[in-house]
Amino acid sequence: MTGLSAVFRSATAILALLGTVRAAPTFQLDKRAVAFNYNGDKVRGVNLGGWFVLEPWITPSIFDEWSTSRTVVDEYTYTKTLGKSEALSRLSNHWNTWITQGDFNAIAQAGLNHVRIPIGYWAVAPVDGDPYVQGQLDVLDKAIGWARGAGLKVMLDLHGAPGSQNGFDNSGKYGSVDWQQGDTVSQTLTALQNLANRYQGDTDVVTAIQLLNEPLGPALNLDGVQDFYNRGYQTIRSASSNFAVAIHDAFQDFSSYWNAFGSGLSDLMLDTHQYQIFSPEQVGRSPSEHVASACALGPKLAGTNKWIVVGEWTGAQTDCAKWLNGLGKGARYDGSFPDSSYTGSCDGKYTGTVADLSADDKKNIRSYIEAQLDAYEQHTGWIFWTWKTESAPEWDMQDLIAGGLFPQPLDSRQLPGQCG
């Protein structure tokens, strides 16, 4: 044991030079497996969105001062506009107040067993010239302890990559998709290495690392995405064999496209995100059609050949939430988004609380959530987006639970058998 201790002390010293390891990580010398049974137990989780990666629709108050000028639309322009000192002051307050130990305890009390925590590359491997600020990892370290105390498992999700992998504001930088250009892939791998190294001693809690959130397949070289996944897998494995490695479906068919990928890669998990609101056809569906579409996913999920979680989904049947489609942008549902037509009113859904939703909205959301739970548990499980928002009732799990629209306990049903 003395020799092993010396090796780990040396490794820790080297990694500390990279600025990515805490002073005294707790290595799990006796662990040789992922600390959650993804083969037999269902993932029942929630995302902690808007915490370490800003999204204007989750916390509109952070962006309100630019609601008219629209010059700040994401974390990149937020930090660039404010400058590092002011941005760090504001964001440090946000990081330390948006999610707390009390949230982790409440999540566990609701019967959940996982949290998915989005983090940007800039928190773990800053790139010269970027305006982003750091300090998130000190809070993330605390969060791992909170999860351990609450009995929750953690999936760490690299939510933003250099250059932006999708051009969405939730990648950190809205606009063009420049990931895969220049050194961006190697920089992403560095971020993953640093993340895995930092938490290699916490695999009793951190059971999965997601290589990249929502790479926009249609705008990327998909062979390059697969190559990145293979290289990212090996990067995580170089730190520990006790992490499951999660990959997003890159908006390709999660069955026909991805079943052939990953032969020989152990503890590989596919992540698919299922929303029915981001096209005119989807928001035009009736409540029963939303339910039918969700139910149809169940057998397809069950037919995949690797672990698969629906890592993002919602109770929303509309895109009404304020700034959901981007700061200052309207909704397809009420026709206020460009090139859309009116389907229905966003009253009560643009901003508000679950308690203030109409009786019909409450019934439809409860029905839709129940159907999705039944469908997504036909394979590995699900992680709801998101735990809390400032004012988006269709998306706010904490408020949906309090309002009786998210089942408690999780397997209770007001409408059993919707999926047959």
Side-chain angles (χ1 to χ4, degrees):
M1 188 61 72
T2 302
L4 278 174
S5 297
V7 170
F8 280 123
R9 282 198 300 271
S10 298
T12 301
I14 292 169
L15 291 169
L17 293 175
L18 299 176
T20 61
V21 174
R22 289 160 289 170
T26 303
F27 290 93
Q28 306 292 317
L29 300 182
D30 58 343
K31 288 189 62 56
R32 295 293 183 271
V34 175
F36 185 83
N37 180 13
Y38 289 108
N39 285 316
D41 296 332
K42 299 302 180 186
V43 173
R44 293 174 164 182
V46 67
N47 286 274
L48 303 182
W51 191 11
F52 298 125
V53 180
L54 295 182
E55 299 192 36
W57 74 270
I58 296 178
T59 54
S61 68
I62 290 177
F63 292 85
D64 270 342
E65 64 190 273
W66 299 283
S67 61
T68 301
S69 68
R70 302 183 186 178
T71 54
V72 172
V73 297
D74 52 28
E75 189 157 339
Y76 185 95
T77 51
Y78 181 86
T79 51
K80 184 177 182 180
T81 298
L82 291 176
K84 287 188 180 289
S85 178
E86 180 63 18
L88 180 58
S89 175
R90 295 191 191 189
L91 286 176
S92 293
N93 179 68
H94 171 69
W95 299 331
N96 283 285
T97 58
W98 179 244
I99 299 290
T100 67
Q101 184 173 8
D103 290 292
F104 279 78
N105 294 339
I107 288 166
Q109 289 164 6
L112 304 177
N113 53 34
H114 275 69
V115 290
R116 179 172 177 257
I117 304 180
I119 192 85
Y121 75 89
W122 54 90
V124 287
V127 173
D128 288 345
D130 278 353
Y132 299 112
V133 296
Q134 288 70 50
Q136 303 91 330
L137 294 182
D138 291 338
V139 185
L140 181 56
D141 292 347
K142 294 179 183 178
I144 302 307
W146 298 338
R148 181 178 287 113
L152 296 168
K153 303 306 183 186
V154 173
M155 176 189 288
L156 296 177
D157 152 44
L158 194 69
H159 216 69
S164 180
Q165 72 277 17
N166 52 35
F168 305 155
D169 58 13
N170 58 52
S171 72
K173 189 175 184 182
Y174 173 80
S176 59
V177 180
D178 293 328
W179 187 68
Q180 295 186 329
Q181 306 302 312
D183 296 328
T184 54
V185 172
S186 63
Q187 290 165 341
T188 307
L189 292 169
T190 298
L192 289 168
Q193 185 74 72
N194 293 350
L195 195 65
N197 286 346
R198 188 178 187 92
Y199 296 108
Q200 63 183 326
D202 294 297
T203 56
D204 60 314
V205 176
V206 182
T207 54
I209 294 178
Q210 182 157 4
L211 299 182
L212 189 58
N213 178 70
E214 293 186 349
L216 187 59
L220 295 168
N221 180 308
L222 283 169
D223 288 340
V225 172
Q226 290 199 28
D227 178 67
F228 164 73
Y229 282 168
N230 278 305
R231 294 168 66 190
Y233 179 91
Q234 298 303 329
T235 297
I236 303 302
R237 282 286 166 267
S238 73
S240 177
S241 61
N242 299 331
F243 295 118
V245 178
I247 60 172
H248 183 260
D249 64 16
F251 302 101
Q252 306 303 299
D253 188 277
F254 61 74
S255 177
S256 63
Y257 186 87
W258 289 105
N259 270 352
F261 178 81
S263 176
L265 302 183
S266 62
D267 299 331
L268 182 69
M269 177 185 296
L270 186 60
D271 171 34
T272 185
H273 298 171
Q274 296 296 326
Y275 297 118
Q276 297 187 38
I277 55 172
F278 291 117
S279 74
E281 182 276 327
Q282 289 176 332
V283 296
R285 293 174 186 171
S286 68
S288 63
E289 288 171 335
H290 281 292
V291 166
S293 294
C295 288
L297 287 169
K300 187 174 181 180
L301 290 164
T304 58
N305 65 359
K306 56 180 65 69
W307 297 336
I308 182 167
V309 292
V310 180
E312 292 187 21
W313 59 283
T314 177
Q317 298 183 353
T318 78
D319 62 338
C320 286
K322 179 181 179 180
W323 297 346
L324 178 65
N325 294 306
L327 189 145
K329 296 182 180 179
R332 296 168 187 85
Y333 190 73
D334 68 359
S336 59
F337 188 81
D339 300 319
S340 63
S341 57
Y342 183 88
T343 297
S345 171
C346 284
D347 289 352
K349 298 183 284 291
Y350 179 69
T351 61
T353 66
V354 168
D356 293 329
L357 290 170
S358 71
D360 282 345
D361 283 337
K362 290 178 180 178
K363 178 187 70 175
N364 292 334
I365 290 171
R366 172 80 190 211
S367 170
Y368 186 41
I369 288 174
E370 287 190 11
Q372 290 181 93
L373 294 175
D374 289 344
Y376 304 158
E377 290 199 4
Q378 291 184 41
H379 208 313
T380 312
W382 48 267
I383 307 175
F384 187 85
W385 189 279
T386 184
W387 173 242
K388 62 184 292 191
T389 70
E390 287 182 343
S391 59
E394 296 176 288
W395 296 80
D396 190 313
M397 184 189 231
Q398 188 175 37
D399 198 15
L400 289 165
I401 289 172
L405 304 191
F406 208 107
Q408 289 288 286
L410 294 169
D411 56 3
S412 68
R413 295 291 180 267
Q414 293 179 359
L415 295 162
Q418 287 188 103
C419 292

